[in-house]
Amino acid sequence: MYKKILLASLLLVLITVSAFAAAPKIIPISIDDLEDGNVITSPNWWSFDAIKLKVVSAREYEISDLGKYVLDVSGKAKGWYVGGFGMYLAQPVDKYTHIQIDVCGTGENSGKLKIELSEDDNGNKKIEQDISKNYAPTKDDKFSYELPIDWKGWKQLLIPLKEFEDINPGVGNDTWDPDNRNGSGGLIQFQFIVIGTKETADTNFKLDNIKIVKYEGSEE
């Protein structure tokens, strides 16, 4: 009997160890760390309207986490609006909790950064858009978070995905569910919109290490 109990205990330990060893780790999704030195490939950012994107050296900042390069974002607002840039992602991110991003402001009038996330609700791995309505999605959800950049110097920000607002209610299923169920492509588009702090203000700030992460202290 003792041998049977010991064998059963050892088997339970082995099963437990194996389960922990096989448990998947939530690896951050890197949107862009700029270390390839450009915004054209890996990934391919699209840009529109008056936005200006330039990869510049991070050498002057003496912050090791920045690597070699950062992204300089600038442009002049017209009617508050400057322009934007984004990328096609198409990955399930339902297990993640935050956007992590390093942001360098140039002062209280650096600008406002709106982060827009478009997810696939009808399972075709693309976002249908109405060109006549400023490219608004017609079948899928779009979520947004607005970040005023009103400081000088670098900050690493953790933005909870649960704080993003559904900005097209009545379209899609009005639920944050960027998974890969039912043929969905998950989070299809990751996009930034830049807004001035004044109607005709110049905007300027820098970005680096843009990631989607799971913060261990958060509930799923």
Side-chain angles (χ1 to χ4, degrees):
M1 175 63 74
Y2 175 76
K3 289 183 177 179
K4 289 183 179 179
I5 294 174
L6 180 60
L7 181 60
S9 298
L10 288 172
L11 183 60
L12 179 60
V13 169
L14 288 172
I15 291 172
T16 304
V17 170
S18 297
F20 275 109
K25 294 181 179 180
I26 304 297
I27 300 172
I29 296 173
S30 177
I31 301 299
D32 203 351
D33 61 8
L34 284 307
E35 290 308 287
D36 60 357
N38 67 71
V39 293
I40 304 301
T41 59
S42 300
N44 180 12
W45 291 96
W46 62 68
S47 61
F48 47 92
D49 297 328
I51 203 72
K52 296 178 181 178
L53 305 177
K54 182 171 62 174
V55 177
V56 298
S57 173
R59 187 178 304 168
E60 65 182 279
Y61 300 109
E62 297 181 354
I63 301 173
S64 59
D65 290 347
L66 295 178
K68 293 181 180 179
Y69 302 106
V70 298
L71 181 63
D72 182 86
V73 182
S74 64
K76 189 174 184 64
K78 183 178 181 181
W80 303 93
Y81 170 74
V82 180
F85 57 108
M87 61 170 291
Y88 181 83
L89 186 62
Q91 289 195 44
V93 300
D94 51 308
K95 299 299 183 183
Y96 293 82
T97 61
H98 290 72
I99 301 293
Q100 180 177 308
I101 183 169
D102 295 334
V103 182
C104 180
T106 53
E108 62 180 8
N109 293 316
S110 302
K112 294 181 181 179
L113 186 64
K114 183 183 290 187
I115 307 172
E116 295 185 339
L117 308 176
S118 298
E119 58 168 30
D120 180 18
D121 283 320
N122 61 347
N124 62 359
K125 296 180 174 60
K126 63 181 181 180
I127 304 296
E128 294 85 358
Q129 298 173 312
D130 187 340
I131 297 175
S132 67
K133 295 182 179 179
N134 199 27
Y135 292 88
T138 59
K139 304 290 184 181
D140 307 291
D141 289 332
K142 189 174 187 177
F143 292 83
S144 177
Y145 181 92
E146 189 168 306
L147 172 69
I149 304 173
D150 54 5
W151 65 87
K152 189 172 184 178
W154 285 96
K155 288 185 179 182
Q156 185 174 93
L157 305 178
L158 273 176
I159 304 170
L161 288 169
K162 64 183 180 181
E163 292 188 7
F164 279 68
E165 177 187 0
D166 182 0
I167 59 173
N168 63 340
V171 178
N173 64 0
D174 296 327
T175 302
W176 174 251
D177 54 354
D179 52 51
N180 57 3
R181 290 187 285 271
N182 301 317
S184 172
L187 179 59
I188 300 294
Q189 291 183 4
F190 186 105
Q191 183 165 273
F192 292 115
I193 301 295
V194 179
I195 303 168
T197 56
K198 298 177 182 178
E199 190 170 2
T200 58
D202 290 321
T203 61
N204 185 222
F205 52 85
K206 293 176 177 62
L207 305 177
D208 197 18
N209 298 322
I210 308 165
K211 301 177 183 178
I212 304 176
V213 301
K214 176 176 171 52
Y215 182 55
E216 294 300 331
S218 299
E219 297 180 0
E220 292 193 15

